[in-house]
Amino acid sequence: MFCFFNFKNVLIEQKLGRYNPTLPLFFYIHIQKFPTIDSLRPPNYAIDGLRTTFYIADLNNFFALSKATFKITIFSVMVHRLSITIFCIFFYSNTNPTVMAQTDNDLSNTYHVVKIEPANGVTAVDWPSVKKLMTFRYHWESVEDTLVFQGTWDGIWFYFRFEVQDENILVYHSTEHKTEVAQSDRVEIFFRKDAKLNPYYCLEMDPDKRILDYATMYYRQYNKGWSWPPGHLQVDTGRLKNGYYVQGKISIASLKELDVWNNGKVQTGLYRGNCISLKDGKAELRWSCWIDPRTENPDFHVASSFGILDFMDQ
């Protein structure tokens, strides 16, 4: 990489006294280690160890170089630091788009989980009376999704339900290991304590009642050997005329045990993996979610993909 510095009045430590103040400007190139391949060397270059300095006095003769080396003393600390800062901002914002999303912690999206009388299991919940969340989108395609989420609670259990419209349900079965859910149609719920995502907890559930549960550290440091506390999670699934549903219950005690319960508010991500093809155990998926993560590529594992479930006492 070459760095070009354009100064009108360049102060230099001359070795040969050849500085010409009448020239309108100079261009200097400071190269830490110049190529040694002969075909790449400009004529009349000078080397001083690993530090080689060239100067150009005429754009029409770009590689007219001095016969002796000299030091550039005009490097300003402020210019140097500014250059590094600009480079770092450009580099990181272009090479890792999730970095900005990770620090974006807009929790303005809230779903109110209304309390009900104690229910005798998830199937006993009067789902038609529970508020529907219907703002799911394929954000990377700017297309609406028909996914519906509902949630309620009775003080002991958090009851949830997803209804998915899907004319071509695809589920991968081979060894029946829980990771096969990742190659299937599914819905997902993530819970976290805060935007650091260290850790957060993930539930991915397919139409055949299988659960991929795991703990994660940012960024995508999966612990798929982890499981939700035993006895604190139940899931039921079934087929609909034009899709499937996933419903279940999670104990409030487990949310508190995992330290994601904050005075009745739980930072939560709601997602869908829509499997559009499945061949040799490899799925092609479209990604839908409640909150737009504002990442360049589909990515749920960032702080900006979370909203709030607000558990209401009334």
Short mmCIF file of all heavy atoms in Angstrom, two decimals, residues 194-246:
data_model
loop_
_atom_site.label_atom_id
_atom_site.label_comp_id
_atom_site.label_asym_id
_atom_site.label_seq_id
_atom_site.Cartn_x
_atom_site.Cartn_y
_atom_site.Cartn_z
N ASP A 194 -28.60 -8.88 28.58
CA ASP A 194 -28.32 -7.52 28.11
C ASP A 194 -27.67 -7.59 26.74
O ASP A 194 -27.50 -8.67 26.15
CB ASP A 194 -27.42 -6.77 29.11
CG ASP A 194 -26.14 -7.53 29.44
OD1 ASP A 194 -25.53 -8.12 28.53
OD2 ASP A 194 -25.76 -7.57 30.63
N ALA A 195 -27.30 -6.43 26.23
CA ALA A 195 -26.80 -6.33 24.86
C ALA A 195 -25.41 -6.93 24.67
O ALA A 195 -24.97 -7.09 23.53
CB ALA A 195 -26.77 -4.86 24.41
N LYS A 196 -24.73 -7.28 25.74
CA LYS A 196 -23.43 -7.91 25.59
C LYS A 196 -23.53 -9.32 25.02
O LYS A 196 -22.55 -9.84 24.47
CB LYS A 196 -22.70 -7.95 26.95
CG LYS A 196 -22.37 -6.57 27.51
CD LYS A 196 -21.69 -6.70 28.87
CE LYS A 196 -21.37 -5.33 29.45
NZ LYS A 196 -20.74 -5.45 30.79
N LEU A 197 -24.68 -9.94 25.19
CA LEU A 197 -24.92 -11.30 24.67
C LEU A 197 -23.92 -12.31 25.24
O LEU A 197 -23.49 -13.22 24.54
CB LEU A 197 -24.88 -11.32 23.13
CG LEU A 197 -25.89 -10.44 22.41
CD1 LEU A 197 -25.73 -10.57 20.90
CD2 LEU A 197 -27.32 -10.75 22.82
N ASN A 198 -23.59 -12.13 26.48
CA ASN A 198 -22.63 -13.04 27.12
C ASN A 198 -23.14 -13.50 28.48
O ASN A 198 -22.81 -12.89 29.50
CB ASN A 198 -21.27 -12.34 27.29
CG ASN A 198 -20.55 -12.16 25.97
OD1 ASN A 198 -20.56 -13.02 25.11
ND2 ASN A 198 -19.91 -11.01 25.81
N PRO A 199 -23.95 -14.58 28.52
CA PRO A 199 -24.38 -15.36 27.37
C PRO A 199 -25.79 -14.98 26.95
O PRO A 199 -26.41 -14.06 27.51
CB PRO A 199 -24.38 -16.79 27.93
CG PRO A 199 -24.82 -16.57 29.35
CD PRO A 199 -24.25 -15.24 29.78
N TYR A 200 -26.34 -15.72 25.97
CA TYR A 200 -27.77 -15.69 25.66
C TYR A 200 -28.19 -17.12 25.33
O TYR A 200 -27.35 -17.99 25.08
CB TYR A 200 -28.09 -14.70 24.54
CG TYR A 200 -27.40 -14.94 23.21
CD1 TYR A 200 -28.11 -15.44 22.12
CD2 TYR A 200 -26.05 -14.63 23.02
CE1 TYR A 200 -27.49 -15.64 20.89
CE2 TYR A 200 -25.43 -14.82 21.81
CZ TYR A 200 -26.15 -15.33 20.74
OH TYR A 200 -25.53 -15.53 19.53
N TYR A 201 -29.51 -17.35 25.35
CA TYR A 201 -30.02 -18.71 25.29
C TYR A 201 -31.00 -18.84 24.13
O TYR A 201 -31.86 -17.98 23.92
CB TYR A 201 -30.69 -19.05 26.62
CG TYR A 201 -29.77 -18.84 27.80
CD1 TYR A 201 -29.81 -17.65 28.53
CD2 TYR A 201 -28.83 -19.80 28.16
CE1 TYR A 201 -28.95 -17.43 29.60
CE2 TYR A 201 -27.96 -19.59 29.23
CZ TYR A 201 -28.03 -18.40 29.94
OH TYR A 201 -27.17 -18.19 30.99
N CYS A 202 -30.88 -19.95 23.41
CA CYS A 202 -31.60 -20.10 22.15
C CYS A 202 -32.43 -21.37 22.14
O CYS A 202 -31.97 -22.44 22.56
CB CYS A 202 -30.60 -20.15 20.99
SG CYS A 202 -29.44 -18.76 20.98
N LEU A 203 -33.66 -21.23 21.62
CA LEU A 203 -34.56 -22.35 21.40
C LEU A 203 -34.99 -22.33 19.93
O LEU A 203 -35.58 -21.34 19.48
CB LEU A 203 -35.79 -22.25 22.29
CG LEU A 203 -35.56 -22.27 23.81
CD1 LEU A 203 -36.87 -21.98 24.54
CD2 LEU A 203 -34.98 -23.60 24.24
N GLU A 204 -34.67 -23.38 19.20
CA GLU A 204 -35.10 -23.53 17.82
C GLU A 204 -35.97 -24.78 17.75
O GLU A 204 -35.53 -25.86 18.15
CB GLU A 204 -33.90 -23.62 16.89
CG GLU A 204 -32.95 -22.42 17.02
CD GLU A 204 -31.86 -22.41 15.94
OE1 GLU A 204 -31.99 -23.16 14.95
OE2 GLU A 204 -30.88 -21.66 16.12
N MET A 205 -37.20 -24.63 17.24
CA MET A 205 -38.19 -25.70 17.33
C MET A 205 -38.77 -25.99 15.96
O MET A 205 -39.26 -25.07 15.27
CB MET A 205 -39.29 -25.28 18.31
CG MET A 205 -38.77 -25.04 19.73
SD MET A 205 -39.83 -23.93 20.73
CE MET A 205 -39.44 -22.33 19.99
N ASP A 206 -38.73 -27.26 15.54
CA ASP A 206 -39.22 -27.62 14.21
C ASP A 206 -40.66 -28.16 14.28
O ASP A 206 -41.20 -28.36 15.39
CB ASP A 206 -38.25 -28.59 13.52
CG ASP A 206 -38.30 -30.01 14.07
OD1 ASP A 206 -39.24 -30.35 14.83
OD2 ASP A 206 -37.40 -30.80 13.73
N PRO A 207 -41.31 -28.40 13.14
CA PRO A 207 -42.71 -28.85 13.14
C PRO A 207 -42.92 -30.24 13.71
O PRO A 207 -44.07 -30.65 13.91
CB PRO A 207 -43.08 -28.81 11.65
CG PRO A 207 -42.10 -27.89 11.02
CD PRO A 207 -40.83 -28.08 11.79
N ASP A 208 -41.84 -30.98 13.95
CA ASP A 208 -41.96 -32.33 14.48
C ASP A 208 -41.62 -32.41 15.97
O ASP A 208 -41.23 -33.47 16.47
CB ASP A 208 -41.09 -33.30 13.68
CG ASP A 208 -41.66 -33.57 12.29
OD1 ASP A 208 -42.82 -33.18 12.05
OD2 ASP A 208 -40.94 -34.14 11.45
N LYS A 209 -41.71 -31.29 16.64
CA LYS A 209 -41.61 -31.23 18.11
C LYS A 209 -40.18 -31.35 18.62
O LYS A 209 -39.95 -31.50 19.81
CB LYS A 209 -42.48 -32.32 18.74
CG LYS A 209 -42.96 -32.05 20.14
CD LYS A 209 -43.94 -33.14 20.60
CE LYS A 209 -44.38 -32.90 22.02
NZ LYS A 209 -45.37 -33.92 22.46
N ARG A 210 -39.21 -31.29 17.73
CA ARG A 210 -37.82 -31.37 18.17
C ARG A 210 -37.32 -29.98 18.56
O ARG A 210 -37.69 -28.97 17.97
CB ARG A 210 -36.94 -31.97 17.08
CG ARG A 210 -37.32 -33.41 16.72
CD ARG A 210 -36.38 -33.98 15.69
NE ARG A 210 -36.34 -33.18 14.47
CZ ARG A 210 -35.54 -33.45 13.43
NH1 ARG A 210 -34.72 -34.49 13.47
NH2 ARG A 210 -35.57 -32.68 12.36
N ILE A 211 -36.45 -29.96 19.55
CA ILE A 211 -35.94 -28.69 20.09
C ILE A 211 -34.42 -28.67 20.00
O ILE A 211 -33.75 -29.59 20.50
CB ILE A 211 -36.36 -28.50 21.56
CG1 ILE A 211 -37.87 -28.62 21.71
CG2 ILE A 211 -35.86 -27.15 22.08
CD1 ILE A 211 -38.31 -28.69 23.17
N LEU A 212 -33.90 -27.65 19.37
CA LEU A 212 -32.46 -27.38 19.40
C LEU A 212 -32.24 -26.27 20.42
O LEU A 212 -32.52 -25.10 20.16
CB LEU A 212 -31.96 -26.96 18.01
CG LEU A 212 -30.51 -26.45 17.91
CD1 LEU A 212 -29.53 -27.47 18.46
CD2 LEU A 212 -30.16 -26.07 16.48
N ASP A 213 -31.80 -26.65 21.61
CA ASP A 213 -31.56 -25.67 22.67
C ASP A 213 -30.06 -25.57 22.92
O ASP A 213 -29.36 -26.58 22.97
CB ASP A 213 -32.32 -26.02 23.95
CG ASP A 213 -32.11 -27.46 24.40
OD1 ASP A 213 -31.49 -28.25 23.65
OD2 ASP A 213 -32.57 -27.81 25.50
N TYR A 214 -29.57 -24.37 23.09
CA TYR A 214 -28.14 -24.16 23.30
C TYR A 214 -27.90 -22.79 23.92
O TYR A 214 -28.72 -21.87 23.82
CB TYR A 214 -27.36 -24.30 21.99
CG TYR A 214 -27.82 -23.40 20.85
CD1 TYR A 214 -27.19 -22.19 20.59
CD2 TYR A 214 -28.88 -23.78 20.03
CE1 TYR A 214 -27.60 -21.38 19.55
CE2 TYR A 214 -29.30 -22.98 18.99
CZ TYR A 214 -28.66 -21.76 18.75
OH TYR A 214 -29.09 -20.96 17.71
N ALA A 215 -26.76 -22.66 24.56
CA ALA A 215 -26.29 -21.38 25.10
C ALA A 215 -25.21 -20.85 24.17
O ALA A 215 -24.50 -21.62 23.51
CB ALA A 215 -25.74 -21.55 26.51
N THR A 216 -25.09 -19.54 24.11
CA THR A 216 -24.17 -18.91 23.18
C THR A 216 -23.50 -17.70 23.81
O THR A 216 -24.11 -16.99 24.61
CB THR A 216 -24.91 -18.45 21.91
OG1 THR A 216 -25.76 -19.50 21.43
CG2 THR A 216 -23.95 -18.07 20.81
N MET A 217 -22.26 -17.49 23.43
CA MET A 217 -21.54 -16.26 23.76
C MET A 217 -21.31 -15.50 22.46
O MET A 217 -21.11 -16.10 21.40
CB MET A 217 -20.20 -16.57 24.44
CG MET A 217 -20.32 -17.39 25.72
SD MET A 217 -20.91 -16.44 27.12
CE MET A 217 -19.43 -15.52 27.53
N TYR A 218 -21.33 -14.16 22.55
CA TYR A 218 -21.06 -13.37 21.35
C TYR A 218 -19.60 -13.54 20.94
O TYR A 218 -18.72 -13.51 21.78
CB TYR A 218 -21.36 -11.90 21.64
CG TYR A 218 -21.29 -11.03 20.41
CD1 TYR A 218 -22.36 -10.96 19.54
CD2 TYR A 218 -20.13 -10.30 20.13
CE1 TYR A 218 -22.29 -10.16 18.40
CE2 TYR A 218 -20.06 -9.51 18.99
CZ TYR A 218 -21.15 -9.45 18.13
OH TYR A 218 -21.08 -8.67 17.01
N TYR A 219 -19.23 -13.82 19.70
CA TYR A 219 -20.10 -13.86 18.57
C TYR A 219 -20.18 -15.30 18.05
O TYR A 219 -19.15 -15.84 17.65
CB TYR A 219 -19.59 -12.89 17.49
CG TYR A 219 -20.35 -12.91 16.20
CD1 TYR A 219 -21.66 -12.46 16.14
CD2 TYR A 219 -19.76 -13.40 15.05
CE1 TYR A 219 -22.36 -12.48 14.95
CE2 TYR A 219 -20.47 -13.41 13.86
CZ TYR A 219 -21.76 -12.97 13.80
OH TYR A 219 -22.47 -13.01 12.62
N ARG A 220 -21.35 -15.91 18.16
CA ARG A 220 -21.62 -17.26 17.66
C ARG A 220 -20.71 -18.33 18.27
O ARG A 220 -20.27 -19.25 17.59
CB ARG A 220 -21.52 -17.30 16.13
CG ARG A 220 -22.63 -16.52 15.42
CD ARG A 220 -22.46 -16.59 13.91
NE ARG A 220 -23.56 -15.94 13.21
CZ ARG A 220 -24.65 -16.55 12.74
NH1 ARG A 220 -24.80 -17.85 12.95
NH2 ARG A 220 -25.58 -15.88 12.10
N GLN A 221 -20.43 -18.18 19.54
CA GLN A 221 -19.67 -19.22 20.25
C GLN A 221 -20.68 -20.17 20.90
O GLN A 221 -21.06 -20.03 22.06
CB GLN A 221 -18.76 -18.58 21.30
CG GLN A 221 -17.74 -17.61 20.72
CD GLN A 221 -16.92 -16.93 21.79
OE1 GLN A 221 -16.34 -17.59 22.67
NE2 GLN A 221 -16.85 -15.61 21.74
N TYR A 222 -21.11 -21.15 20.11
CA TYR A 222 -22.19 -22.03 20.51
C TYR A 222 -21.75 -23.09 21.51
O TYR A 222 -20.68 -23.67 21.38
CB TYR A 222 -22.77 -22.75 19.29
CG TYR A 222 -23.24 -21.84 18.18
CD1 TYR A 222 -22.70 -21.94 16.89
CD2 TYR A 222 -24.22 -20.89 18.40
CE1 TYR A 222 -23.14 -21.12 15.87
CE2 TYR A 222 -24.66 -20.06 17.38
CZ TYR A 222 -24.10 -20.18 16.12
OH TYR A 222 -24.53 -19.36 15.11
N ASN A 223 -22.61 -23.35 22.47
CA ASN A 223 -22.46 -24.50 23.35
C ASN A 223 -23.70 -25.36 23.16
O ASN A 223 -24.68 -25.25 23.91
CB ASN A 223 -22.31 -24.07 24.80
CG ASN A 223 -22.23 -25.26 25.75
OD1 ASN A 223 -22.12 -26.41 25.32
ND2 ASN A 223 -22.33 -25.00 27.05
N LYS A 224 -23.67 -26.22 22.16
CA LYS A 224 -24.85 -27.02 21.83
C LYS A 224 -24.99 -28.25 22.71
O LYS A 224 -25.94 -29.01 22.57
CB LYS A 224 -24.84 -27.38 20.35
CG LYS A 224 -25.03 -26.14 19.46
CD LYS A 224 -25.15 -26.46 17.99
CE LYS A 224 -25.40 -25.18 17.20
NZ LYS A 224 -25.48 -25.41 15.75
N GLY A 225 -24.05 -28.43 23.63
CA GLY A 225 -24.20 -29.46 24.64
C GLY A 225 -25.06 -29.00 25.80
O GLY A 225 -25.47 -29.81 26.65
N TRP A 226 -25.35 -27.69 25.83
CA TRP A 226 -26.18 -27.13 26.90
C TRP A 226 -27.65 -27.45 26.63
O TRP A 226 -28.08 -27.55 25.48
CB TRP A 226 -25.98 -25.62 26.97
CG TRP A 226 -26.78 -24.91 28.02
CD1 TRP A 226 -26.43 -24.68 29.31
CD2 TRP A 226 -28.08 -24.33 27.85
NE1 TRP A 226 -27.42 -23.99 29.96
CE2 TRP A 226 -28.45 -23.77 29.09
CE3 TRP A 226 -28.97 -24.23 26.78
CZ2 TRP A 226 -29.66 -23.11 29.29
CZ3 TRP A 226 -30.18 -23.60 26.96
CH2 TRP A 226 -30.51 -23.03 28.21
N SER A 227 -28.43 -27.60 27.68
CA SER A 227 -29.87 -27.83 27.54
C SER A 227 -30.65 -26.93 28.50
O SER A 227 -30.13 -26.52 29.55
CB SER A 227 -30.22 -29.30 27.85
OG SER A 227 -29.63 -30.16 26.89
N TRP A 228 -31.88 -26.63 28.11
CA TRP A 228 -32.75 -25.85 28.99
C TRP A 228 -32.96 -26.62 30.29
O TRP A 228 -32.99 -27.86 30.28
CB TRP A 228 -34.09 -25.62 28.30
CG TRP A 228 -34.86 -24.48 28.90
CD1 TRP A 228 -35.79 -24.57 29.89
CD2 TRP A 228 -34.74 -23.10 28.56
NE1 TRP A 228 -36.27 -23.31 30.21
CE2 TRP A 228 -35.64 -22.38 29.40
CE3 TRP A 228 -33.98 -22.38 27.64
CZ2 TRP A 228 -35.79 -21.01 29.34
CZ3 TRP A 228 -34.13 -21.01 27.58
CH2 TRP A 228 -35.02 -20.33 28.42
N PRO A 229 -33.08 -25.95 31.43
CA PRO A 229 -33.26 -26.66 32.69
C PRO A 229 -34.38 -27.70 32.60
O PRO A 229 -35.49 -27.39 32.17
CB PRO A 229 -33.61 -25.53 33.67
CG PRO A 229 -32.93 -24.32 33.10
CD PRO A 229 -33.01 -24.47 31.61
N PRO A 230 -34.09 -28.93 32.97
CA PRO A 230 -35.07 -30.03 32.84
C PRO A 230 -36.38 -29.73 33.58
O PRO A 230 -36.37 -29.20 34.69
CB PRO A 230 -34.35 -31.23 33.47
CG PRO A 230 -32.90 -30.89 33.36
CD PRO A 230 -32.81 -29.40 33.52
N GLY A 231 -37.49 -30.05 32.92
CA GLY A 231 -38.80 -29.86 33.53
C GLY A 231 -39.34 -28.46 33.42
O GLY A 231 -40.46 -28.19 33.89
N HIS A 232 -38.59 -27.55 32.80
CA HIS A 232 -39.01 -26.14 32.73
C HIS A 232 -39.36 -25.70 31.31
O HIS A 232 -39.56 -24.51 31.06
CB HIS A 232 -37.92 -25.23 33.30
CG HIS A 232 -37.73 -25.39 34.78
ND1 HIS A 232 -38.37 -24.62 35.71
CD2 HIS A 232 -36.97 -26.28 35.49
CE1 HIS A 232 -38.02 -24.98 36.93
NE2 HIS A 232 -37.17 -25.99 36.82
N LEU A 233 -39.45 -26.65 30.39
CA LEU A 233 -39.79 -26.34 29.00
C LEU A 233 -40.60 -27.50 28.42
O LEU A 233 -40.19 -28.66 28.53
CB LEU A 233 -38.52 -26.13 28.18
CG LEU A 233 -38.68 -26.07 26.65
CD1 LEU A 233 -39.48 -24.83 26.24
CD2 LEU A 233 -37.31 -26.09 25.96
N GLN A 234 -41.72 -27.16 27.82
CA GLN A 234 -42.54 -28.15 27.12
C GLN A 234 -42.98 -27.57 25.78
O GLN A 234 -43.33 -26.38 25.71
CB GLN A 234 -43.77 -28.55 27.94
CG GLN A 234 -43.45 -29.25 29.25
CD GLN A 234 -44.71 -29.63 30.02
OE1 GLN A 234 -45.80 -29.73 29.47
NE2 GLN A 234 -44.55 -29.84 31.33
N VAL A 235 -42.95 -28.40 24.74
CA VAL A 235 -43.30 -27.94 23.40
C VAL A 235 -44.26 -28.93 22.76
O VAL A 235 -44.11 -30.15 22.92
CB VAL A 235 -42.03 -27.79 22.52
CG1 VAL A 235 -42.40 -27.53 21.07
CG2 VAL A 235 -41.16 -26.64 23.04
N ASP A 236 -45.23 -28.38 22.04
CA ASP A 236 -46.19 -29.19 21.29
C ASP A 236 -46.27 -28.61 19.88
O ASP A 236 -46.15 -27.39 19.69
CB ASP A 236 -47.56 -29.14 21.98
CG ASP A 236 -48.59 -29.99 21.26
OD1 ASP A 236 -48.24 -31.11 20.87
OD2 ASP A 236 -49.73 -29.51 21.07
N THR A 237 -46.47 -29.47 18.90
CA THR A 237 -46.55 -29.02 17.51
C THR A 237 -47.68 -29.75 16.80
O THR A 237 -48.21 -30.75 17.27
CB THR A 237 -45.24 -29.28 16.76
OG1 THR A 237 -45.00 -30.70 16.68
CG2 THR A 237 -44.05 -28.62 17.44
N GLY A 238 -48.04 -29.24 15.64
CA GLY A 238 -49.07 -29.88 14.83
C GLY A 238 -49.15 -29.23 13.46
O GLY A 238 -48.61 -28.15 13.23
N ARG A 239 -49.83 -29.90 12.56
CA ARG A 239 -50.01 -29.39 11.21
C ARG A 239 -51.32 -28.61 11.11
O ARG A 239 -52.33 -28.95 11.76
CB ARG A 239 -50.02 -30.54 10.20
CG ARG A 239 -48.73 -31.35 10.12
CD ARG A 239 -47.55 -30.47 9.67
NE ARG A 239 -46.43 -31.26 9.17
CZ ARG A 239 -45.41 -31.67 9.90
NH1 ARG A 239 -45.37 -31.39 11.20
NH2 ARG A 239 -44.41 -32.35 9.36
N LEU A 240 -51.28 -27.57 10.30
CA LEU A 240 -52.46 -26.81 9.96
C LEU A 240 -52.78 -27.03 8.48
O LEU A 240 -52.00 -27.65 7.74
CB LEU A 240 -52.22 -25.32 10.24
CG LEU A 240 -51.90 -24.94 11.69
CD1 LEU A 240 -51.47 -23.48 11.76
CD2 LEU A 240 -53.09 -25.20 12.60
N LYS A 241 -53.91 -26.53 8.04
CA LYS A 241 -54.31 -26.72 6.65
C LYS A 241 -53.26 -26.19 5.68
O LYS A 241 -52.99 -26.79 4.64
CB LYS A 241 -55.65 -26.02 6.41
CG LYS A 241 -56.19 -26.20 5.00
CD LYS A 241 -57.54 -25.52 4.84
CE LYS A 241 -58.06 -25.69 3.42
NZ LYS A 241 -59.40 -25.04 3.23
N ASN A 242 -52.66 -25.06 6.05
CA ASN A 242 -51.68 -24.44 5.14
C ASN A 242 -50.35 -24.18 5.85
O ASN A 242 -49.63 -23.24 5.54
CB ASN A 242 -52.23 -23.12 4.59
CG ASN A 242 -52.54 -22.13 5.70
OD1 ASN A 242 -52.62 -22.50 6.87
ND2 ASN A 242 -52.73 -20.87 5.32
N GLY A 243 -50.00 -25.03 6.82
CA GLY A 243 -48.74 -24.82 7.51
C GLY A 243 -48.62 -25.66 8.76
O GLY A 243 -49.01 -26.82 8.80
N TYR A 244 -48.10 -25.05 9.82
CA TYR A 244 -47.92 -25.77 11.08
C TYR A 244 -47.92 -24.77 12.23
O TYR A 244 -47.83 -23.55 12.04
CB TYR A 244 -46.62 -26.58 11.07
CG TYR A 244 -45.34 -25.77 11.01
CD1 TYR A 244 -44.65 -25.42 12.18
CD2 TYR A 244 -44.79 -25.34 9.80
CE1 TYR A 244 -43.47 -24.69 12.13
CE2 TYR A 244 -43.62 -24.62 9.74
CZ TYR A 244 -42.96 -24.29 10.91
OH TYR A 244 -41.79 -23.56 10.86
N TYR A 245 -48.04 -25.29 13.44
CA TYR A 245 -47.93 -24.47 14.63
C TYR A 245 -46.92 -25.08 15.58
O TYR A 245 -46.68 -26.29 15.60
CB TYR A 245 -49.29 -24.28 15.32
CG TYR A 245 -49.84 -25.53 15.98
CD1 TYR A 245 -49.46 -25.90 17.28
CD2 TYR A 245 -50.75 -26.36 15.31
CE1 TYR A 245 -49.96 -27.05 17.89
CE2 TYR A 245 -51.26 -27.50 15.91
CZ TYR A 245 -50.86 -27.84 17.19
OH TYR A 245 -51.35 -28.98 17.79
N VAL A 246 -46.30 -24.22 16.37
CA VAL A 246 -45.43 -24.62 17.47
C VAL A 246 -45.89 -23.85 18.69
O VAL A 246 -45.99 -22.61 18.66
CB VAL A 246 -43.94 -24.31 17.19
CG1 VAL A 246 -43.09 -24.61 18.43
CG2 VAL A 246 -43.43 -25.09 15.99
#
